[in-house]
Amino acid sequence: MVNWTARPAPPGGVPGGGVPRRHAGLWQLAVSTLDGNWEHDHTVPSRTLYPHQWSWDSAFIAIGWAHVRPDHAWQELTSLFRAQWLDGRVPHIVFNPVVPGGAYFPGPGFWASATVEGTPRVATSGLVQPPVHALAAWHAYRRAPSADGRAALRRLYPRLVAQQHYLATRRDVGGAGLASIVHPWESGLDNSPAWDAPLAAVPAEAAVLRAYRRRDTVHAAAAHRPTDLDYARYIAIVTAYRAAGYRDDGLADRHPFLVECPLFNAAMGAAEHALAEIAGEIGADPGPHRERAARITTAVVDRLHDPTTGTFHPRDLRSGRLTPARTVLGLAPLILPDLPARQVEAVLVEATSARFGLAAGMERPLPSHDRTAADFEPLRYWRGPSWMNINWLVRHGLLAHGQTRLAAGLRASMIGLAETAGCHEYFHPDTGAGLGSPAFGWTAALLLDVLAE
Ligand code: 2M8
């Protein structure tokens, strides 16, 4: 049984009883950031860079809303799952029809979801993101238990189950019980060095981009974002998937990017644990979820753990090999409460090494990539900077394995980061300077969550 902490939501944006007075300003900043990004039935990650609804952002954001406006938490998840495709996939972007098509690239016209059967009325992308939604729904509920919350869980449950079913069946390209991602965007860690090896095999030239205009570099420094060559490959991979109507049959024979990601699959396993809890709460049978969770954990260990490095690595299905980079993705399986002790130990060795610097007293949170690596880039997006959502996940993994001192160290460093730079999208891993969007949804939401504990 997972020991998630329960805490009733404090009313109307006022810090709860457990939040010390010295954090009242931070709490208000987080609430006003979320309020500023709220958009009728969802929260945009950022008004400038990401003016639509993103899948795993909404999950993290719902956890934050549960502390201050629980109805928003349920609306957030409900609006996202309203855009679920008939095959069960939850699209990684749900486009807001009132936002001009050119505000984000690639926009709704590029994805052309309306031309595909079984898609919702609203325009969406055709990719997915890490399935952290069941976990988020359960966390949100435990923080604000209510009859309305239970009714929302009841409505969400079959959709969450369908999301898992899609991933466990159509995306099990390797046939070993894990889901494959078909694009780096599906990992959520878009330009992580973890994808360098599989991406290098994707034919694309920066010239591909001439037909399009990137919008991200209008709002953020180009040196802090993926490169043009990265984008050319991102576009080439979507184009291949789109040309096949976003179908998943035959992916092994035709698709240029197929990877089993440790974070994505750990999220899929953690989702089954959360679904077991949700099932228990709404009178459904938790048994099948527990069984599936155990199978996923076994497959994550068998397929993605490298006893030589001690950490987890993505498996590239094209080459059959584990990708060599030691990124923060390798620590993510800690969120599996049934991860065997041997792997927990090995991951803790990795996390507490100079590569990531986890400690009971740590100045800055975990970086997204190995600090000692030659390709560590402290300013460039997922190639070094610290991100609140990954730190939040690892912290919960630490708690699930009884590592309370390390979890406390991580929590203090996360709060310190927000004290230094506010609710930025990501942060310089050494100085803590804010990078990317200055008013970012999941940073605000997860800040509320750690402040409330
Ligand atoms: C980033 O990804 C999008 C593409 O999905 C982008 O760069 O335009 C990532 O950080 C991703 O994890 C996140 O969900 C998204 C919105 O915050 O932005």
Side-chain angles (χ1 to χ4, degrees), residues 45 50 54 56-57 92 104 129 185 188 190 225 231 381-382 387 440 442:
Y50 316 106
W54 259 260
W56 79 328
D57 296 64
H92 99 294
Y104 175 80
Q129 274 186 327
W185 281 338
D190 305 356
R225 294 282 310 174
Y231 259 80
Y381 216 39
W382 292 99
W387 291 74
F440 194 66
W442 79 41

Tab-separated table of all heavy atoms in Angstrom, residues 45 50 54 56-57 92 104 129 185 188 190 225 231 381-382 387 440 442, ligand 1:
chain	number	residue	atom	x	y	z
A	45	PRO	N	0.290	26.159	-19.315
A	45	PRO	CA	1.598	26.113	-18.656
A	45	PRO	C	2.213	27.504	-18.583
A	45	PRO	O	2.819	27.890	-17.582
A	45	PRO	CB	2.415	25.181	-19.559
A	45	PRO	CG	1.395	24.325	-20.266
A	45	PRO	CD	0.196	25.216	-20.456
A	50	TYR	N	3.387	28.535	-24.017
A	50	TYR	CA	2.507	27.360	-24.173
A	50	TYR	C	1.066	27.771	-23.879
A	50	TYR	O	0.537	27.466	-22.802
A	50	TYR	CB	2.926	26.246	-23.208
A	50	TYR	CG	4.424	26.013	-23.131
A	50	TYR	CD1	5.160	26.433	-22.025
A	50	TYR	CD2	5.104	25.345	-24.152
A	50	TYR	CE1	6.524	26.215	-21.944
A	50	TYR	CE2	6.468	25.117	-24.073
A	50	TYR	CZ	7.179	25.565	-22.971
A	50	TYR	OH	8.528	25.341	-22.880
A	54	TRP	N	-1.622	21.357	-21.830
A	54	TRP	CA	-0.665	20.251	-21.987
A	54	TRP	C	-1.019	19.144	-21.011
A	54	TRP	O	-1.409	19.407	-19.861
A	54	TRP	CB	0.765	20.722	-21.734
A	54	TRP	CG	1.525	20.964	-23.004
A	54	TRP	CD1	2.433	20.112	-23.582
A	54	TRP	CD2	1.445	22.097	-23.874
A	54	TRP	NE1	2.915	20.658	-24.752
A	54	TRP	CE2	2.328	21.872	-24.945
A	54	TRP	CE3	0.711	23.269	-23.855
A	54	TRP	CZ2	2.502	22.773	-25.990
A	54	TRP	CZ3	0.866	24.181	-24.883
A	54	TRP	CH2	1.748	23.944	-25.933
A	56	TRP	N	0.693	16.399	-19.294
A	56	TRP	CA	1.226	16.118	-17.952
A	56	TRP	C	1.326	17.381	-17.112
A	56	TRP	O	1.290	17.321	-15.891
A	56	TRP	CB	2.496	15.264	-17.986
A	56	TRP	CG	3.835	15.854	-18.315
A	56	TRP	CD1	4.110	16.892	-19.150
A	56	TRP	CD2	5.100	15.384	-17.796
A	56	TRP	NE1	5.470	17.091	-19.217
A	56	TRP	CE2	6.103	16.175	-18.392
A	56	TRP	CE3	5.487	14.379	-16.917
A	56	TRP	CZ2	7.469	16.002	-18.123
A	56	TRP	CZ3	6.838	14.194	-16.644
A	56	TRP	CH2	7.810	14.999	-17.248
A	57	ASP	N	1.348	18.553	-17.767
A	57	ASP	CA	1.259	19.804	-17.005
A	57	ASP	C	-0.046	19.825	-16.216
A	57	ASP	O	-0.066	20.163	-15.022
A	57	ASP	CB	1.296	21.017	-17.941
A	57	ASP	CG	2.605	21.138	-18.703
A	57	ASP	OD1	2.895	20.235	-19.514
A	57	ASP	OD2	3.358	22.109	-18.485
A	92	HIS	N	-1.170	15.006	-26.050
A	92	HIS	CA	-0.264	15.797	-25.217
A	92	HIS	C	-0.570	17.284	-25.266
A	92	HIS	O	-0.229	18.006	-24.345
A	92	HIS	CB	1.198	15.444	-25.493
A	92	HIS	CG	1.987	16.334	-26.413
A	92	HIS	ND1	1.714	16.460	-27.758
A	92	HIS	CD2	3.070	17.111	-26.176
A	92	HIS	CE1	2.604	17.291	-28.297
A	92	HIS	NE2	3.428	17.698	-27.370
A	104	TYR	N	1.374	29.091	-31.356
A	104	TYR	CA	2.285	28.028	-30.913
A	104	TYR	C	2.636	27.169	-32.118
A	104	TYR	O	1.779	26.860	-32.945
A	104	TYR	CB	1.619	27.170	-29.828
A	104	TYR	CG	2.479	25.979	-29.428
A	104	TYR	CD1	3.541	26.131	-28.538
A	104	TYR	CD2	2.242	24.709	-29.968
A	104	TYR	CE1	4.352	25.050	-28.199
A	104	TYR	CE2	3.049	23.628	-29.634
A	104	TYR	CZ	4.099	23.806	-28.753
A	104	TYR	OH	4.905	22.744	-28.424
A	129	GLN	N	1.946	11.989	-23.403
A	129	GLN	CA	3.015	12.358	-22.460
A	129	GLN	C	2.989	11.372	-21.291
A	129	GLN	O	2.071	10.555	-21.199
A	129	GLN	CB	2.812	13.800	-21.958
A	129	GLN	CG	3.426	14.843	-22.876
A	129	GLN	CD	3.363	16.251	-22.308
A	129	GLN	OE1	2.413	16.597	-21.603
A	129	GLN	NE2	4.347	17.073	-22.625
A	185	TRP	N	9.089	14.317	-27.594
A	185	TRP	CA	8.064	15.114	-26.909
A	185	TRP	C	7.224	14.249	-25.979
A	185	TRP	O	6.648	14.741	-25.007
A	185	TRP	CB	7.161	15.838	-27.934
A	185	TRP	CG	7.793	17.075	-28.503
A	185	TRP	CD1	8.795	17.818	-27.938
A	185	TRP	CD2	7.461	17.722	-29.740
A	185	TRP	NE1	9.101	18.889	-28.755
A	185	TRP	CE2	8.309	18.850	-29.855
A	185	TRP	CE3	6.537	17.461	-30.749
A	185	TRP	CZ2	8.251	19.723	-30.953
A	185	TRP	CZ3	6.481	18.324	-31.846
A	185	TRP	CH2	7.334	19.446	-31.944
A	188	GLY	N	8.372	14.176	-22.361
A	188	GLY	CA	8.279	15.408	-21.576
A	188	GLY	C	9.633	16.076	-21.394
A	188	GLY	O	9.713	17.246	-21.069
A	190	ASP	N	12.078	16.898	-23.616
A	190	ASP	CA	12.218	16.944	-25.065
A	190	ASP	C	13.639	16.753	-25.610
A	190	ASP	O	13.873	15.942	-26.478
A	190	ASP	CB	11.703	18.287	-25.593
A	190	ASP	CG	10.272	18.565	-25.166
A	190	ASP	OD1	9.657	17.698	-24.529
A	190	ASP	OD2	9.784	19.668	-25.467
A	225	ARG	N	16.879	26.776	-25.359
A	225	ARG	CA	15.840	25.923	-25.965
A	225	ARG	C	16.514	24.828	-26.812
A	225	ARG	O	17.710	24.883	-27.075
A	225	ARG	CB	14.948	26.782	-26.885
A	225	ARG	CG	14.114	27.841	-26.185
A	225	ARG	CD	12.872	27.277	-25.508
A	225	ARG	NE	12.081	26.432	-26.384
A	225	ARG	CZ	11.006	25.737	-25.983
A	225	ARG	NH1	10.607	25.792	-24.742
A	225	ARG	NH2	10.339	24.971	-26.826
A	231	TYR	N	14.656	20.487	-33.659
A	231	TYR	CA	13.294	20.749	-34.140
A	231	TYR	C	13.044	20.097	-35.492
A	231	TYR	O	11.954	19.588	-35.762
A	231	TYR	CB	13.001	22.262	-34.188
A	231	TYR	CG	12.170	22.687	-32.994
A	231	TYR	CD1	12.773	22.902	-31.758
A	231	TYR	CD2	10.791	22.825	-33.073
A	231	TYR	CE1	12.023	23.253	-30.650
A	231	TYR	CE2	10.032	23.170	-31.976
A	231	TYR	CZ	10.640	23.384	-30.760
A	231	TYR	OH	9.884	23.718	-29.655
A	381	TYR	N	17.445	24.000	-21.318
A	381	TYR	CA	16.210	23.228	-21.225
A	381	TYR	C	16.392	21.932	-20.441
A	381	TYR	O	16.710	21.976	-19.270
A	381	TYR	CB	15.740	22.996	-22.655
A	381	TYR	CG	14.240	23.004	-22.876
A	381	TYR	CD1	13.419	23.895	-22.218
A	381	TYR	CD2	13.649	22.121	-23.780
A	381	TYR	CE1	12.052	23.900	-22.463
A	381	TYR	CE2	12.283	22.120	-24.031
A	381	TYR	CZ	11.496	23.012	-23.358
A	381	TYR	OH	10.149	23.024	-23.614
A	382	TRP	N	16.261	20.771	-21.070
A	382	TRP	CA	16.324	19.501	-20.337
A	382	TRP	C	17.727	18.894	-20.366
A	382	TRP	O	17.901	17.707	-20.145
A	382	TRP	CB	15.303	18.523	-20.902
A	382	TRP	CG	13.875	18.933	-20.650
A	382	TRP	CD1	13.035	19.561	-21.523
A	382	TRP	CD2	13.108	18.730	-19.452
A	382	TRP	NE1	11.799	19.769	-20.945
A	382	TRP	CE2	11.822	19.270	-19.683
A	382	TRP	CE3	13.390	18.158	-18.201
A	382	TRP	CZ2	10.806	19.243	-18.720
A	382	TRP	CZ3	12.382	18.129	-17.247
A	382	TRP	CH2	11.109	18.670	-17.515
A	387	TRP	N	14.231	21.219	-12.816
A	387	TRP	CA	12.790	21.357	-13.068
A	387	TRP	C	12.027	20.882	-11.834
A	387	TRP	O	12.351	19.857	-11.245
A	387	TRP	CB	12.377	20.504	-14.274
A	387	TRP	CG	12.905	20.989	-15.595
A	387	TRP	CD1	14.180	20.884	-16.054
A	387	TRP	CD2	12.149	21.635	-16.635
A	387	TRP	NE1	14.265	21.425	-17.323
A	387	TRP	CE2	13.028	21.884	-17.701
A	387	TRP	CE3	10.806	22.008	-16.773
A	387	TRP	CZ2	12.626	22.503	-18.889
A	387	TRP	CZ3	10.400	22.620	-17.946
A	387	TRP	CH2	11.305	22.867	-18.994
A	440	PHE	N	5.137	29.973	-14.546
A	440	PHE	CA	4.921	28.651	-15.104
A	440	PHE	C	4.011	27.810	-14.202
A	440	PHE	O	4.211	27.719	-12.987
A	440	PHE	CB	6.276	27.955	-15.280
A	440	PHE	CG	6.203	26.729	-16.142
A	440	PHE	CD1	5.887	26.832	-17.496
A	440	PHE	CD2	6.440	25.471	-15.610
A	440	PHE	CE1	5.806	25.700	-18.299
A	440	PHE	CE2	6.366	24.342	-16.409
A	440	PHE	CZ	6.057	24.459	-17.752
A	442	TRP	N	3.203	24.374	-13.601
A	442	TRP	CA	3.495	23.280	-12.669
A	442	TRP	C	4.479	23.706	-11.589
A	442	TRP	O	4.469	23.134	-10.500
A	442	TRP	CB	3.852	21.984	-13.373
A	442	TRP	CG	5.253	21.806	-13.933
A	442	TRP	CD1	6.442	22.169	-13.368
A	442	TRP	CD2	5.601	21.140	-15.165
A	442	TRP	NE1	7.489	21.787	-14.179
A	442	TRP	CE2	7.009	21.146	-15.282
A	442	TRP	CE3	4.847	20.536	-16.175
A	442	TRP	CZ2	7.686	20.584	-16.366
A	442	TRP	CZ3	5.531	19.965	-17.238
A	442	TRP	CH2	6.928	20.000	-17.343
B	1	2M8	C1	7.762	21.373	-23.333
B	1	2M8	O1	7.378	20.713	-24.515
B	1	2M8	C2	6.697	21.379	-25.586
B	1	2M8	C3	6.312	20.312	-26.589
B	1	2M8	O2	5.404	19.431	-26.009
B	1	2M8	C4	7.530	22.458	-26.251
B	1	2M8	O3	8.744	22.553	-26.013
B	1	2M8	O4	6.943	23.222	-27.019
B	1	2M8	C5	8.263	20.328	-22.328
B	1	2M8	O5	8.926	20.933	-21.256
B	1	2M8	C6	7.099	19.473	-21.843
B	1	2M8	O6	7.517	18.588	-20.832
B	1	2M8	C7	5.953	20.336	-21.329
B	1	2M8	O7	4.847	19.525	-21.047
B	1	2M8	C8	5.550	21.427	-22.339
B	1	2M8	C9	4.561	22.430	-21.756
B	1	2M8	O8	5.005	22.893	-20.508
B	1	2M8	O9	6.705	22.151	-22.779
